Amino acid sequence: MKIVCIGGGPAGLYFALLMKKLGPQHDITVVERNKPYDTFGWGVVFSDQTLDNMRQWDPETAAEVQQAFNHWDDIELHFKGRVIRSGGHGFVGIGRKKLLNILQSRCEQLGVKLVFEQDADSDLDHKDADLVIASDGINSKVRQRTPEVFQPDIVTRPNRYIWLGTKRLYDAFTFLFEKTEHGWFQAHVYKFDEHTSTFIVECPEHVWLAHGLDKADPDQSIAFCEKLFASNLQGEKLMSNARHLRGSAWLNFQRVKCANWWQHNGHSHVVLMGDAVHTAHFAIGSGTKLALEDAIELVRQFKTLGDTAEQIPQVLRQYQAVREIDVIRLQNAAWNAMEWFEVCGERYCDQLEPEQFMYSMLTRSQRISHENLRLRDKAWLEGYEAWLAQRAGVSGARPPMFTPFALRSVTLKNRVVVSPMAQYSAEDGRVGDYHLTHLGARALGGAGLVMVEMTSPSADGRITHGCPGLWNDTQTQDFARITRWVHTQTDAKIGLQLGHAGAKGSTCRPWQGAGMDQPLPAGEAEANWPLIAASAQPYLPNGQVPRAMTRADMDRVKQDFVAATQRAAQAGFDWLELHCAHGYLLSGFISPLTNQRGDDHGGAFANRLRYPLEVFTAMRAAWPAHLPMSVRISAHDWVEGGLTPQDAVEVARAFKAAGADLIDCSSGQVSAAQKPTYGRMYQTPFADRIRQEAGIATMAVGAISEADHVNSIIAAGRADLCAVGRPHLANPAWTLTEAARIGHTPLSWPRTYVSGKSQLEAGFARERAQQSATRGD
Ligand SMILES: Cc1cc2nc3c(=O)[nH]c(=O)nc-3n(C[C@H](O)[C@H](O)[C@H](O)COP(=O)(O)OP(=O)(O)OC[C@H]3O[C@@H](n4cnc5c(N)ncnc54)[C@H](O)[C@@H]3O)c2cc1C
Ligand SMILES: Cc1cc2nc3c(=O)[nH]c(=O)nc-3n(C[C@H](O)[C@H](O)[C@H](O)COP(=O)(O)O)c2cc1C
């Protein structure tokens, strides 16, 4: 085969040498616009795992790379005058020049033709090639020639960064944070050879503009950075070797991904590789790793399927299918890490203390969890756990999930909340033995707080005929029986969620067959009832059309909420939550998708929030001052034109000002057109943002299913509490089980269940020992 690689970066060179090794008969040329042995850039990072991979494919290259390596384990943070260091992170750094030189000389050794100082304008310049590898980097001309084929999706990110070097040698991957009068700057620093360290300086666009860096030439920018980081640089200079860049040397990161990675251009097959097809932000390192692994995968496919011209289409199809998955995974983690650095100035730097800031930074990609950190550096993590426990008023290291949390006069024994979950099992709004058993079991199961499902302040505010209510004394006594039981038999607290269903009322129970949120079918013994909502708009197209509320309706509903609040206090609840989420009545006022009112309760944001705040304020006045109140919101409508996470910060601020103690951050279910992005802990970013930006305690909820998730969220300060829903349906003793799973044995169990404790713990201990043996710890 005749193969031409356009671009002699890591992707093109490594593919060329591996392919030549696989089939020396192939005629392989690398065309590079730069001079031989001349390249730009400082150090690149990759993991031990990438090197192991390289070792399998070409031990000679791997050995040379290993020789030139700088391996380091520690991450060091310099922040607010403190230096915090943790170990076990295992990085490898090598100079980009050095790496390319190794690859170039290995190519020459194997017989790959290297053509330098030739700018290849197009893949069509090589019509006689069977295969053209477009390894021409982020601004790939080959990709740009036929964007309709490759369908690149390019997102330019808001932060500015400049890629510098320094002779100051750092013995850890070092992160420096400096505050200026206009905002925060950070530097990502690592040594990559015996004489030099990479020094990347980054800041938000508005900070960069405020300092006039858009008008600075590279020398002025370097002088600025030297001054900013002077105390750390200890007299060393910063250097740029990006003289080829015109104007300002500050760049915006561009995230590239492509729907299609290859095509036949009428003469040759063309395939994108490395930065040409995908980029990964330097916050996670590294594009080089992806480029090398692309090359390996393409050669693996030729090796498996046959290295002949006939096999090319099949090889390319398989190459994309396999690589795409790994690349998306890495790009997602890189995206989280990149976003963390984009917002850290506003969101974390001023809010978090150095210890917690370090934890938040280490877990920024959300790929590294609490237990991963324990494997990396147990001593550091235990020190941090002890610090966190002390902040929560207890001594000694313990998993963050098991630190207490106090609001007003109520102290929860831990950070786990049984999320409110409708059971559709009430009669005439009355809770009975079913609820006593259901809630009682969960209160015994170890959670700090058990929330009762959405309970309506009036009969017409229920979702279904099976939903509970709190509009009469009998219902109050039924609830009092449950709270009494929980308080006498367990050390859990119990809370009530009050909510009015609005446009989503009068539906059938989920098991009644018509489907979720569907009105009751005609002819049922239980009849539909008329609905009220912010606007006369049904939730589902075939749903009942509610009547838009009048002022008189609003006054009546507010009074119902206040009366139900008083009854909740009489019933002995420890905690009250107002349901302003999921498209129910109050949520329907807040979202622009469901509120079409023309009066002073519709339109502008402040108008839409007015009635929910009015209800909340009246309830807060009726609820005992020593007890906490939370508000559940949908922090994202997941619909274009709907409420955004940024709006949710404003919603939280308004409820905070009205006396809310905590925001319970759910999302969606406001519009049937929603397109949520599900995933593990997918709503936690809303809790995180609101906690830091609105300065109020938050509860995270949604796909939090392991102790490791709860520990990571609490330890990073992304939320104060974690609500766990569906896992509690499967296992009422979820908290006790998770404690045993992670080996937190000091936890006390209900005295009646103690005999089950050691057996469960021993089973999990065996599992952990087996896992540890498999890992070779
Ligand atoms: C200048 C520069 C400096 C970098 N520095 C670092 C760093 O210090 N640390 C780090 O972790 N990552 C760095 N990166 C990013 C990282 O190296 C990339 O993610 C990785 O190199 C991707 O490998 P690649 O082979 O796909 O692309 P690249 O490394 O970008 O290689 C593409 C090659 O194609 C050549 N080329 C482009 N167009 C043409 C054309 N039309 N004709 C001929 N040749 C062409 C370019 O000169 C370049 O050599 C740098 C990238 C660049 C371009
Ligand atoms: C059966 C069921 C009933 C629910 N009922 C309510 C409810 O009454 N009030 C509420 O705010 N959320 C309700 N939810 C949402 C949960 O409280 C929780 O936010 C959601 O299930 C996501 O958490 P999870 O992934 O841990 O299950 C319900 C969820 C389920 C599965």
Side-chain angles (χ1 to χ4, degrees), residues 543-562:
Q544 189 191 142
V545 179
R547 179 168 60 75
M549 286 172 83
T550 61
R551 186 61 237 183
D553 292 324
M554 288 190 211
D555 291 339
R556 197 261 298 166
V557 170
K558 182 172 71 176
Q559 272 322 306
D560 290 343
F561 268 111
V562 169

Side-chain angles (χ1 to χ4, degrees), residues 183-202:
W184 287 86
F185 281 79
Q186 60 258 12
H188 312 234
V189 192
Y190 50 92
K191 182 177 128 182
F192 64 86
D193 67 22
E194 287 318 303
H195 316 286
T196 338
S197 302
T198 292
F199 200 105
I200 305 166
V201 181
E202 185 191 10

Side-chain angles (χ1 to χ4, degrees), residues 197-245:
S197 302
T198 292
F199 200 105
I200 305 166
V201 181
E202 185 191 10
C203 69
E205 177 98 0
H206 67 90
V207 177
W208 179 75
L209 287 172
H211 281 285
L213 290 166
D214 54 327
K215 295 180 197 82
D217 65 24
D219 288 337
Q220 289 165 326
S221 288
I222 288 174
F224 175 87
C225 294
E226 278 173 350
K227 195 165 162 221
L228 185 60
F229 294 102
S231 68
N232 187 274
L233 283 167
Q234 299 173 356
E236 283 296 349
K237 299 252 155 256
L238 290 174
M239 311 174 289
S240 165
N241 61 6
R243 302 281 169 207
H244 59 295
L245 293 170

Side-chain angles (χ1 to χ4, degrees), residues 7 9-11 32-34 42-44 96 118-120 136 163 274-275 287:
E32 166 58 48
R33 66 181 171 198
N34 290 329
W42 302 101
V44 295
R96 178 176 157 92
Q118 182 175 319
D119 209 322
D136 50 348
W163 216 302
D275 271 12

Side-chain angles (χ1 to χ4, degrees), residues 419-422 453-454 497 579 582 632 701-703 724-727:
S419 205
M421 281 181 291
E453 66 195 89
M454 178 170 126
Q497 186 189 57
H579 201 331
H582 302 168
R632 179 168 270 207
V701 64
V724 175
R726 288 160 299 171

Side-chain angles (χ1 to χ4, degrees), residues 351-643:
Q351 288 79 351
L352 303 183
E353 294 183 65
E355 285 79 359
Q356 192 159 45
F357 187 82
M358 174 74 165
Y359 187 100
S360 178
M361 187 184 77
L362 291 178
T363 54
R364 64 188 179 272
S365 73
Q366 285 161 55
R367 271 203 319 184
I368 296 173
S369 72
H370 198 71
E371 293 310 313
N372 294 146
L373 284 177
R374 197 185 306 283
L375 289 176
R376 288 168 186 230
D377 191 342
K378 190 163 185 273
W380 177 80
L381 190 74
E382 286 180 358
Y384 179 63
E385 287 184 341
W387 179 88
L388 205 62
Q390 194 216 337
R391 298 275 131 169
V394 287
S395 59
R398 63 177 76 188
M401 168 170 164
F402 294 102
T403 54
F405 178 67
L407 267 188
R408 302 209 181 209
S409 67
V410 173
T411 300
L412 306 180
K413 65 182 169 182
N414 62 43
R415 306 303 183 108
V416 181
V417 177
V418 176
S419 205
M421 281 181 291
Q423 299 296 299
Y424 315 102
S425 301
E427 284 174 29
D428 297 326
R430 291 185 62 183
V431 288
D433 288 352
Y434 174 85
H435 303 85
L436 176 65
T437 314
H438 168 72
L439 296 165
R442 277 139 195 92
L444 284 169
L449 174 66
V450 177
M451 289 300 300
V452 174
E453 66 195 89
M454 178 170 126
T455 297
S456 173
S458 59
D460 69 343
R462 288 175 296 168
I463 309 166
T464 72
H465 280 283
C467 291
L470 193 46
W471 63 82
N472 64 39
D473 292 344
T474 317
Q475 291 161 341
T476 312
Q477 283 153 22
D478 294 337
F479 273 123
R481 176 176 170 237
I482 295 173
T483 63
R484 216 167 22 246
W485 194 93
V486 168
H487 289 146
T488 52
Q489 300 296 327
T490 81
D491 56 0
K493 302 291 181 196
I494 181 160
L496 182 72
Q497 186 189 57
L498 279 178
H500 188 296
K504 292 176 85 175
S506 188
T507 62
C508 54
R509 294 173 179 84
W511 53 82
Q512 272 178 302
M516 275 306 277
D517 301 314
Q518 292 289 347
L520 285 153
E524 290 277 316
E526 290 174 334
N528 283 299
W529 64 86
L531 299 179
I532 50 170
S535 299
Q537 184 178 305
Y539 175 62
L540 296 178
N542 64 333
Q544 189 191 142
V545 179
R547 179 168 60 75
M549 286 172 83
T550 61
R551 186 61 237 183
D553 292 324
M554 288 190 211
D555 291 339
R556 197 261 298 166
V557 170
K558 182 172 71 176
Q559 272 322 306
D560 290 343
F561 268 111
V562 169
T565 300
Q566 288 159 342
R567 288 200 163 93
Q570 282 163 27
F573 282 104
D574 304 300
W575 186 295
L576 187 64
E577 177 163 285
L578 178 61
H579 201 331
C580 291
H582 302 168
Y584 295 118
L585 188 111
L586 297 175
S587 159
F589 272 85
I590 299 173
S591 171
L593 301 173
T594 43
N595 183 337
Q596 314 295 340
R597 298 178 72 94
D599 61 6
D600 62 357
H601 292 286
F605 180 76
N607 284 356
R608 286 185 273 121
L609 216 53
R610 183 165 289 127
Y611 182 60
L613 284 175
E614 186 183 321
V615 172
F616 178 85
T617 307
M619 286 168 71
R620 183 63 264 186
W623 182 242
H626 67 284
L627 296 179
M629 258 190 94
S630 56
V631 179
R632 179 168 270 207
I633 63 168
S634 281
H636 195 337
D637 283 344
W638 303 107
V639 176
E640 193 76 32
L643 207 81

